[in-house]
Amino acid sequence: MDEDVRLDLDKLPIKRLEAIDEAGNEHYPPDTSSEEQRLAAIRRIDFSWVIERDAKKAKKAAEETAQQAWPWQGLMESLQQAQQELTVVLDLISTVEANDAVTVATASKPKSTPNEVLVDMAVSAATKLQQLRHLGRYFKQSAKTMEQQFQKEARFYGSLIRLQQNWKVKRQRGTGPGSETFMFDVIDTSQLDTAAMPRFSSMALIPIDQDSLGTLSVQVPQKSCRFLSLQFRGDGANGAENYSCKLKGVSSTSSAEEIDTLEDDDVNKSVKHAHSILRNIHKSIFEEQVFDMVIRETFVQSEGINVTGMRDDFLQLAIGQESLLCLSLTDSGHDSESEMAGHEEHTNSEDAANLVLATTNGKQEPLKRDTSGFLNPKSLEICLLHMFHENILKKVREKYRNIVRYPSPAQAAADDCGLLSHFCMTVAHRIFSNKVHLELESVVSRVPYLHLRSLPTWHSRTSSWSLCLRVPQPILASDRPTNPSDKDEPKYKSRSQFNTKIILKDGQISLLGEGSPSIAGSLTRKPSDGYLINSYNCDLEDLPTMLLQQVASQVINWLHEEAVVLGMNVTRDFLCLYFDLDQGETLGLVAHVDPDDAYGCISWYLTIDHPVEDGKMSTDNPEFEKRRLTIVKEKVFDMVIRETFVQSEGINVTGMRDDFLQLAIGQESLLCLSLADSGHDSDSEMAGHEEHTNSEDAANVVLATTNGKQEPLKRDASGFLNPKNKDEPKYKSRSQFNTKITLKDGQISLLGEGSPSIAGSLTRKPSDGYLINSYNCDLEDLPTMLLQQVASQVINWLHEEAVVLGMNVTRDFLCLYFDLDQGETLGLVAHVDPDDAYGCISWYLTIDHPVEDGKMSTDNPEFEKRRFLGYLSLEVLYSTLMDLINLCSTGVHR
Amino acid sequence: MSSLGQSSSLQRLHNVEKRIVRVLELAGSVMEELGNAQGPRADAVAAHCREFMLSMKEIQTTMREEIKSACEYRPFEKCDYSARIANEICCKKLEYVIEKMDAMQLNIAHSANEV
């Protein structure tokens, strides 16, 4: 038959379990409704044979057209049919099995042999062992991974705890597994006014990463940190290169993946690195905050702020009329903002086109070259940050504690006019203060007795200096009466310094000078020490001149005081000191002040005013002095002149001009003291000739003598030292003879040892038994007396030596006589001649024959009786003596 | 972080972790021992198990203490960021002053050389 048997089997209408879930609940399929059952039944009707018949018809129609059929077609069809039958059968079997409606008659299990049982048991035991080993390996493996995990986490959390000591950590639970991330929160929300600061949220939370070894790292995009940079227009980029070194490059701490254990150093390094990154970010946030506050301050019009340019990260302020301050937020690394401002030439007008020119007070700001190149912008930057931070802190404190703190004067000033204007005024003040300082230095560098000192002020807009004029102590200071009761009297106190104080407040210079009451200005008496204080204001251009005038007047004041103390009749004008001389003349000491002088600022002139002439002051001496030498000379001259006006013994003024003083010393010499150029310096030049030909010089000068006493210069010429006194017998041979010459005020006295025959008083020094001659003499006789003394000492020595040797010798004043045999006398005579060119003491040998007229033949003109020995040294003399002694003892005649 | 005795709590927790690792190793070795072809050695197994139990006890005690003390731990309450900024400003001031002092020293050295 060509139609197969089709079997349709229904499922048995029992409830079949569909699923069991984990909790053990059984799920059954839902009951089908009757409609569904009907539909299912309809579906089960097999309309395939109908479709087949139609298909066959179509096929037949197709077959007629088809030519030769495939020879295996029939085989294929039968195989298909067989397959269909088989599938039907299989379906039937499976359905039956599933339905359990038909039990298949199973063949009985064959009985398993004990071998098989054992084999089964062995197999199961082996499986169990396998599983146990597997379990063991699993445990060990998990232990190892756990260890690694723990190490990694310990490293991470250890670093995190270290960082948490300083930084706030926030934890974020993300969605999905393993996304619990930590973050550093760098913003201090307690301080922020969040309504006003919306722009920092991007940088607030910084994610923390850990690498494969658990090392903590903080990643920050390179250019996101911006720092405040303050520069003066015209300076090069000198501020921001500091920042590039702050962010050190990420070191390769994570390159050790192959090594499991990292050293502690690496962990430390990573922690420090993270810490420094966080510090930078924190600082950057603060500086951005400050910049924002500065910008907001510029919207409020206040004094001193002068905005000339603004961008979103750049602010330019004009300070005064000369300098431009640029405040910008720059990246670390390279500094594109400051490059723009770093031209040294004056080609800045083109740059102005890029800037939005916004002036608040309408002034034009020419971009001049900045003259305050030496004002360090870094210090200003620090000042700005400090100011704003203080302000923030103050606000926080007030907010949280409701305490009103009493601000320091600096803070009060800041509060009065706003922070930015205070800052701008501070910058302006500093620039001007530098200029004032330069001026002061240029003055002080040329006046060596002035000392400049900067005084600290605790206000940023006030500067103060003190100029100290040191005066030397007067010579007669020790002689001044210092009664203890007179301590209240300032007149007797000698002052050592005069002070001038210069105070600069916001551009206003005021001078406070001591002790010169003649300068225009207000006088204030300081009651404590009785000095007068001048105080007045001045401009920068006038400052050197005013200072120098102040100083010069202080010098005049000092000289005036000194002169008054000495009892002189002096009067004082603004910069002059007048001495009244005799005959109505007036000597004036004038100070000339010139701040532009290269050598020195204060020079001195001496003027003399003769009333016999038309009464005018003589013109200034056209000679220019070197200032330092002049001051020295001035002091000396001044003192000398003062002394001459006091009549005292010994001063003998023979001439005086305006720069010249002549004193007679004794009767022979004239001392000339003059203020002259350094070329020919005739100070203390002794016009001292030994002759008396000075009377002609006196014709040029006005002779004025006060007394006639002579004042020869003192000179102490006693230089001989006596040997130590020892108690010695006379036999001790002496090694030296001393002669002492003493000069007292013109009286010469000689003290000579050991020559008892010279006229004069003899004093025996009991200690050593030597005889001392002492006598006075004049200067003309001095050489002769000395030589005679010396010669007699030599004779004395020779005499003693001969006596020691047992000779029979006698001694006269300058002669030594040996007694020869036969009554002859051999004499050794010393001849003294102070004018002799070869030597002063010469020796003669004389012989005296008693058979002749018995006279002494000392001045025998015959040379054969008197033999000239020459100018003998002492050794030769001694040997001569010995020869003579031998001669005498042997009795050899001439 | 509070530190009792010598070690900090982080270190104690780390010790606990090490113990857990050890415990796992013990379990693994016990399993291997049981899976031994010749049969398990009773003494080894007993030793391992004893150590295991002791470690577990210790882990439990430490964890209990740590959990108790963890409740006392207060995270970063007082924010000192403003003081930190003040310190940074002070650092800047100090750097500036040091720079100036170095310049002064150089000047003195130069002038001493010249003199």
Side-chain angles (χ1 to χ4, degrees):
Chain A
M1 59 182 148
D2 56 341
E3 290 190 14
D4 300 331
V5 176
R6 304 208 173 262
L7 294 173
D8 280 315
L9 295 171
D10 293 332
K11 282 191 185 170
L12 288 177
I14 56 174
K15 281 207 169 190
R16 300 182 192 283
L17 190 62
E18 200 180 83
I20 300 182
D21 69 354
E22 296 165 354
N25 303 323
E26 299 169 353
H27 292 280
Y28 293 100
D31 290 334
T32 56
S33 60
S34 58
E35 282 290 329
E36 286 185 21
Q37 283 172 353
R38 208 176 294 149
L39 275 173
I42 292 171
R43 273 192 214 109
R44 280 179 52 240
I45 300 175
D46 193 11
F47 291 103
S48 60
W49 62 274
V50 177
I51 296 169
E52 253 184 58
R53 199 175 56 189
D54 292 341
K56 268 190 193 164
K57 281 186 187 161
K59 251 197 243 172
K60 272 184 190 162
E63 263 182 15
E64 288 167 0
T65 62
Q67 294 292 327
Q68 185 70 24
W70 187 31
W72 304 103
Q73 189 69 23
L75 182 60
M76 205 177 76
E77 282 174 7
S78 58
L79 280 174
Q80 277 177 349
Q81 282 168 8
Q83 189 198 12
Q84 277 173 6
E85 284 169 12
L86 273 173
T87 50
V88 168
V89 169
L90 281 172
D91 282 340
L92 177 66
I93 292 174
S94 62
T95 311
V96 164
E97 258 186 295
N99 289 338
D100 228 8
V102 174
T103 60
V104 179
T106 58
S108 64
K109 224 175 178 183
K111 204 166 183 186
S112 52
T113 58
N115 208 10
E116 282 180 1
V117 168
L118 283 173
V119 164
D120 280 343
M121 251 175 37
V123 164
S124 60
T127 352
K128 268 193 202 152
L129 277 178
Q130 183 83 11
Q131 281 172 349
L132 283 173
R133 280 201 211 110
H134 185 70
L135 198 57
R137 255 183 283 129
Y138 174 73
F139 279 147
K140 289 239 165 103
Q141 180 68 31
S142 61
K144 227 186 283 181
T145 46
M146 255 196 181
E147 189 176 356
Q148 278 177 356
Q149 177 85 10
F150 288 160
Q151 219 171 21
K152 184 173 147 190
E153 285 189 357
R155 204 173 284 134
F156 178 72
Y157 284 107
S159 316
L160 189 61
I161 279 194
R162 277 169 72 176
L163 286 172
Q164 200 191 19
Q165 286 177 316
N166 293 315
W167 306 99
K168 277 200 286 194
V169 177
K170 282 213 171 122
R171 195 169 50 175
Q172 217 178 41
R173 287 185 194 276
T175 60
S179 68
E180 178 179 295
T181 55
F182 291 96
M183 296 195 156
F184 280 118
D185 181 17
V186 191
I187 298 229
D188 187 8
T189 50
S190 65
Q191 286 180 357
L192 278 187
D193 198 5
T194 48
M197 308 262 183
R199 63 145 112 183
F200 302 112
S201 54
S202 64
M203 290 274 282
L205 293 176
I206 297 145
I208 305 175
D209 306 320
Q210 50 171 315
D211 65 347
S212 59
L213 291 171
T215 316
L216 189 146
S217 67
V218 173
Q219 291 301 325
V220 159
Q222 195 63 19
K223 296 254 176 82
S224 61
C225 275
R226 298 200 295 178
F227 294 96
L228 203 62
S229 155
L230 192 147
Q231 269 141 25
F232 283 102
R233 186 94 181 217
D235 285 350
N238 56 0
E241 66 267 7
N242 298 336
Y243 300 115
S244 56
C245 64
K246 279 188 191 163
L247 276 184
K248 299 180 197 126
V250 179
S251 56
S252 59
T253 55
S254 56
S255 66
E257 295 97 354
E258 60 273 43
I259 309 175
D260 257 350
T261 57
L262 281 182
E263 303 288 334
D264 280 338
D265 294 340
D266 294 331
V267 174
N268 282 339
K269 252 194 274 183
S270 73
V271 168
K272 281 183 191 163
H273 184 64
H275 186 69
S276 64
I277 289 178
L278 287 169
R279 266 182 75 193
N280 278 342
I281 294 172
H282 192 59
K283 270 192 284 195
S284 153
I285 287 176
F286 174 67
E287 289 183 8
E288 285 185 0
Q289 200 176 343
V290 167
F291 188 76
D292 211 45
M293 284 166 69
V294 165
I295 297 269
R296 271 186 293 128
E297 290 246 346
T298 65
F299 299 148
V300 179
Q301 277 205 4
S302 57
E303 172 201 340
I305 305 179
N306 197 356
V307 179
T308 54
M310 194 190 283
R311 284 206 297 244
D312 62 338
D313 53 358
F314 178 76
L315 180 68
Q316 187 168 338
L317 296 162
I319 309 288
Q321 279 177 352
E322 294 156 350
S323 42
L324 283 174
L325 196 69
C326 302
L327 199 64
S328 58
L329 280 181
T330 59
D331 291 337
S332 60
H334 58 99
D335 220 333
S336 59
E337 308 302 335
S338 61
E339 279 168 14
M340 181 205 69
H343 302 287
E344 301 289 334
E345 301 92 12
H346 301 272
T347 57
N348 292 329
S349 51
E350 300 85 41
D351 285 337
N354 287 334
L355 300 173
V356 174
L357 277 171
T359 62
T360 54
N361 55 10
K363 264 201 210 155
Q364 269 300 318
E365 298 293 334
L367 302 173
K368 286 187 194 153
R369 185 180 180 85
D370 180 31
T371 57
S372 66
F374 42 78
L375 188 65
N376 197 338
K378 190 106 180 79
S379 66
L380 294 176
E381 190 182 310
I382 296 175
C383 180
L384 182 70
L385 289 173
H386 179 79
M387 243 192 301
F388 276 90
H389 185 62
E390 285 290 320
N391 195 30
I392 292 174
L393 284 182
K394 200 173 58 125
K395 280 188 195 153
V396 167
R397 271 188 232 127
E398 281 171 6
K399 188 165 93 174
Y400 278 112
R401 298 184 194 165
N402 293 329
I403 293 173
V404 174
R405 286 179 179 259
Y406 291 101
S408 59
Q411 279 274 315
D415 288 338
D416 285 341
C417 52
L419 286 175
L420 186 62
S421 58
H422 177 66
F423 178 70
C424 290
M425 287 200 278
T426 303
V427 175
H429 171 82
R430 294 291 296 279
I431 292 173
F432 190 61
S433 154
N434 276 340
K435 287 188 197 155
V436 169
H437 189 76
L438 273 184
E439 288 286 341
L440 289 175
E441 274 189 355
S442 75
V443 165
V444 169
S445 62
R446 284 176 284 157
V447 181
Y449 45 85
L450 278 180
H451 301 274
L452 179 68
R453 239 188 324 191
S454 294
L455 303 174
T457 60
W458 306 117
H459 195 276
S460 59
R461 301 213 304 257
T462 308
S463 311
S464 153
W465 296 268
S466 138
L467 273 176
C468 180
L469 170 70
R470 290 190 197 276
V471 297
Q473 283 295 321
I475 290 182
L476 302 180
S478 53
D479 297 346
R480 287 193 196 170
T482 50
N483 282 330
S485 64
D486 284 343
K487 272 207 182 131
D488 302 332
E489 301 261 355
K491 234 181 176 179
Y492 292 105
K493 214 187 339 178
S494 62
R495 297 179 59 179
S496 63
Q497 59 184 19
F498 289 81
N499 288 322
T500 307
K501 206 161 159 186
I502 302 127
I503 297 177
L504 179 67
K505 277 187 184 169
D506 256 344
Q508 184 74 23
I509 307 176
S510 54
L511 284 173
L512 287 152
E514 285 179 355
S516 53
S518 306
I519 296 182
S522 62
L523 288 183
T524 321
R525 183 179 281 270
K526 271 169 85 167
S528 59
D529 47 5
Y531 300 138
L532 300 176
I533 304 285
N534 284 325
S535 71
Y536 44 90
N537 299 332
C538 75
D539 295 332
L540 185 61
E541 293 83 11
D542 300 330
L543 182 65
T545 312
M546 302 292 273
L547 273 178
L548 290 168
Q549 282 178 353
Q550 174 80 26
V551 167
S553 68
Q554 280 171 349
V555 174
I556 294 281
N557 194 24
W558 166 62
L559 292 174
H560 176 75
E561 278 183 14
E562 294 295 322
V564 162
V565 164
L566 286 172
M568 298 276 314
N569 188 12
V570 287
T571 53
R572 186 178 56 190
D573 200 351
F574 173 40
L575 288 177
C576 310
L577 192 63
Y578 295 113
F579 298 88
D580 292 331
L581 300 178
D582 303 336
Q583 303 159 7
E585 289 179 339
T586 311
L587 182 70
L589 188 63
V590 182
H592 176 77
V593 160
D594 185 4
D596 298 325
D597 191 359
Y599 288 114
C601 299
I602 304 182
S603 48
W604 297 88
Y605 293 93
L606 211 54
T607 59
I608 193 145
D609 179 30
H610 301 275
V612 299
E613 292 172 11
D614 45 17
K616 296 199 292 269
M617 294 292 291
S618 55
T619 56
D620 295 277
N621 196 337
E623 293 174 342
F624 242 153
E625 326 284 356
K626 274 223 174 16
R627 199 220 34 74
R628 176 178 305 198
L629 197 53
T630 308
I631 287 294
V632 168
K633 285 186 182 175
E634 169 262 317
K635 284 180 186 153
V636 169
F637 203 77
D638 175 66
M639 290 188 305
V640 166
I641 288 191
R642 274 187 285 133
E643 298 257 334
T644 64
F645 298 141
V646 180
Q647 285 202 359
S648 60
E649 171 191 335
I651 303 181
N652 194 357
V653 178
T654 52
M656 192 190 284
R657 284 204 297 253
D658 58 346
D659 59 347
F660 181 78
L661 180 68
Q662 186 166 346
L663 299 163
I665 310 292
Q667 278 177 352
E668 298 153 350
S669 46
L670 284 174
L671 186 66
C672 304
L673 201 61
S674 66
L675 285 176
D677 286 341
S678 53
H680 31 99
D681 193 352
S682 58
D683 268 353
S684 72
E685 180 184 330
M686 287 285 290
H689 308 282
E690 300 295 328
E691 301 90 9
H692 303 263
T693 58
N694 290 332
S695 52
E696 301 87 60
D697 286 340
N700 285 337
V701 300
V702 176
L703 280 169
T705 64
T706 55
N707 57 16
K709 254 202 209 160
Q710 304 188 11
E711 297 291 339
L713 300 171
K714 297 174 187 171
R715 191 182 47 178
D716 187 8
S718 76
F720 288 103
L721 295 174
N722 278 333
K724 275 207 182 265
N725 299 336
K726 287 181 190 165
D727 287 307
E728 291 163 2
K730 230 176 178 177
Y731 301 106
K732 188 78 184 249
S733 63
R734 294 179 60 181
S735 60
Q736 59 184 15
F737 289 82
N738 292 321
T739 306
K740 200 164 164 185
I741 304 127
T742 311
L743 182 65
K744 280 189 184 167
D745 256 343
Q747 188 72 24
I748 309 176
S749 55
L750 284 172
L751 288 148
E753 285 178 355
S755 54
S757 307
I758 297 180
S761 63
L762 284 182
T763 321
R764 182 181 285 273
K765 275 167 84 171
S767 58
D768 49 4
Y770 300 141
L771 298 175
I772 305 288
N773 286 325
S774 71
Y775 47 90
N776 299 332
C777 77
D778 294 333
L779 189 62
E780 293 82 9
D781 302 328
L782 182 65
T784 314
M785 302 293 277
L786 273 177
L787 290 167
Q788 283 177 355
Q789 174 81 25
V790 168
S792 68
Q793 280 172 346
V794 174
I795 296 286
N796 196 21
W797 167 56
L798 292 173
H799 174 75
E800 281 185 13
E801 293 297 321
V803 162
V804 165
L805 287 170
M807 292 290 300
N808 189 8
V809 289
T810 55
R811 187 177 58 190
D812 202 351
F813 176 41
L814 288 176
C815 309
L816 194 64
Y817 296 113
F818 299 89
D819 290 329
L820 300 176
D821 303 335
Q822 304 153 15
E824 288 183 338
T825 312
L826 184 67
L828 187 61
V829 181
H831 177 77
V832 161
D833 186 3
D835 297 324
D836 194 354
Y838 289 112
C840 298
I841 305 180
S842 51
W843 296 89
Y844 289 92
L845 209 57
T846 59
I847 196 143
D848 184 28
H849 301 278
V851 297
E852 291 176 16
D853 47 50
K855 288 200 294 262
M856 295 294 289
S857 54
T858 50
D859 47 1
N860 195 340
E862 294 174 354
F863 272 162
E864 54 219 10
K865 295 270 182 176
R866 180 172 166 148
R867 185 149 158 215
F868 181 67
L869 292 175
Y871 308 97
L872 304 177
S873 67
L874 292 179
E875 290 84 3
V876 173
L877 208 53
Y878 192 73
S879 61
T880 312
L881 178 69
M882 291 301 123
D883 291 339
L884 287 176
I885 288 169
N886 285 337
L887 193 65
C888 297
S889 52
T890 57
V892 176
H893 287 278
R894 168 165 57 96
Chain B
M1 51 192 160
S2 60
S3 59
L4 304 171
Q6 283 174 356
S7 59
S8 64
S9 67
L10 192 67
Q11 277 170 334
R12 268 177 273 124
L13 288 173
H14 193 55
N15 284 341
V16 163
E17 285 173 343
K18 284 190 202 150
R19 269 189 204 282
I20 291 174
V21 168
R22 177 82 189 122
V23 154
L24 267 183
E25 280 175 1
L26 285 173
S29 54
V30 163
M31 289 301 149
E32 276 181 7
E33 195 61 39
L34 288 175
N36 200 358
Q38 281 82 29
R41 291 172 295 170
D43 51 348
V45 168
H48 286 322
C49 289
R50 196 178 309 125
E51 200 181 331
F52 181 91
M53 293 311 290
L54 283 173
S55 305
M56 288 303 289
K57 188 172 113 181
E58 210 169 317
I59 287 169
Q60 273 194 324
T61 45
T62 316
M63 286 304 293
R64 202 175 296 131
E65 278 175 19
E66 288 303 313
I67 289 171
K68 268 193 282 184
S69 68
C71 305
E72 303 159 359
Y73 178 69
R74 285 197 190 94
F76 201 65
E77 267 185 343
K78 296 194 180 112
C79 182
D80 63 347
Y81 281 170
S82 58
R84 172 170 286 281
I85 291 287
N87 281 345
E88 300 280 355
I89 293 178
C90 281
C91 273
K92 279 195 185 178
K93 288 181 187 171
L94 279 175
E95 278 168 12
Y96 181 70
V97 168
I98 286 173
E99 206 180 294
K100 289 285 178 196
M101 303 273 272
D102 285 341
M104 275 165 65
Q105 197 175 26
L106 266 177
N107 277 343
I108 291 173
H110 280 316
S111 65
N113 286 342
E114 281 164 20
V115 166

